[in-house]
Amino acid sequence: MTNRKVGIYCMSSKQHLPSNVTWYKAPKFNSEKSLIHPGGRFVVRKKQITENAILILNDLWIEDQGVYFCKIDDVFGPGTDVRVTRPVDETKVLYRSQMKDALIILQGMLLALIIAAFGFRKKTLSEKEESIYEEPEDDHIYEGLAIETCEDGDLYEEISAYAQPEGAEAPWE
């Protein structure tokens, strides 16, 4: 947790021999390591005859997260992964969770409403299409028009758009 203290120990198989430890930090396990200079929030301590065997991180920050390596006699240790989290306020977490649940329910209801609206629209459009394309009861297309034929025997007939036989009235008048 942030604002806490963490101690990391560096152990060697040759603990009976005097040695000096240097500390390194990397953002990830296989990434480039950078040397840690003791001082400020980073404190090193001696353990038995090994200098700097303990690294103490005071007042942890989120930025302190990473993998810490100790190096004894040009040999790196396996590394210690340090993860830093902020303290959790349960009331805020529950409030956010309930708000997310409410938004998910609202989105579901809106989606159902949109689907229903499209279904209703499609139904009314199909009913309109059926009523538009109904067959007429009486065929009045040529009623009231006179067809003039050619007297010289041509294959084509000319239909005069406004020609009416004498005394005939169109049904729409």
Side-chain angles (χ1 to χ4, degrees):
M1 295 266 209
T2 55
N3 303 322
R4 299 270 175 98
K5 181 191 290 190
V6 171
I8 304 172
Y9 300 95
C10 186
M11 305 290 248
S12 170
S13 58
K14 302 174 186 177
Q15 290 181 0
H16 60 282
L17 299 174
S19 56
N20 192 17
V21 176
T22 52
W23 289 93
Y24 293 84
K25 178 187 173 196
K28 295 180 183 175
F29 183 73
N30 289 328
S31 59
E32 187 176 331
K33 301 169 184 75
S34 58
L35 180 65
I36 295 175
H37 301 287
R41 294 182 312 109
F42 297 101
V43 178
V44 290
R45 301 257 165 107
K46 180 178 181 178
K47 183 176 182 192
Q48 296 171 356
I49 57 173
T50 306
E51 288 290 322
N52 305 330
I54 303 169
L55 175 67
I56 300 171
L57 293 93
N58 290 312
D59 190 28
L60 280 175
W61 296 348
I62 295 291
E63 294 81 20
D64 293 333
Q65 191 162 273
V67 182
Y68 290 82
F69 296 92
C70 65
K71 182 177 174 184
I72 302 175
D73 301 328
D74 295 329
V75 177
F76 279 100
T80 301
D81 188 17
V82 175
R83 297 184 186 204
V84 182
T85 60
R86 291 185 176 91
V88 177
D89 183 5
E90 274 189 50
T91 57
K92 286 182 181 178
V93 171
L94 287 173
Y95 175 75
R96 288 182 187 142
S97 177
Q98 291 169 349
M99 286 300 292
K100 286 180 187 177
D101 292 346
L103 286 173
I104 289 170
I105 290 170
L106 180 65
Q107 287 175 341
M109 292 171 65
L110 285 174
L111 182 62
L113 182 65
I114 290 170
I115 290 171
F118 276 121
F120 180 73
R121 183 170 184 234
K122 185 176 181 181
K123 181 180 175 187
T124 57
L125 284 177
S126 66
E127 288 174 359
K128 280 185 181 178
E129 287 175 0
E130 289 175 8
S131 66
I132 291 173
Y133 295 112
E134 287 182 5
E135 290 291 324
E137 293 177 19
D138 296 323
D139 190 12
H140 299 292
I141 295 174
Y142 294 109
E143 193 171 310
L145 296 177
I147 299 174
E148 297 177 9
T149 56
C150 298
E151 294 181 21
D152 53 352
D154 283 341
L155 296 175
Y156 297 103
E157 298 177 344
E158 293 181 36
I159 300 176
S160 198
Y162 299 106
Q164 293 183 357
E166 291 182 29
E169 272 187 38
W172 55 84
E173 288 183 354

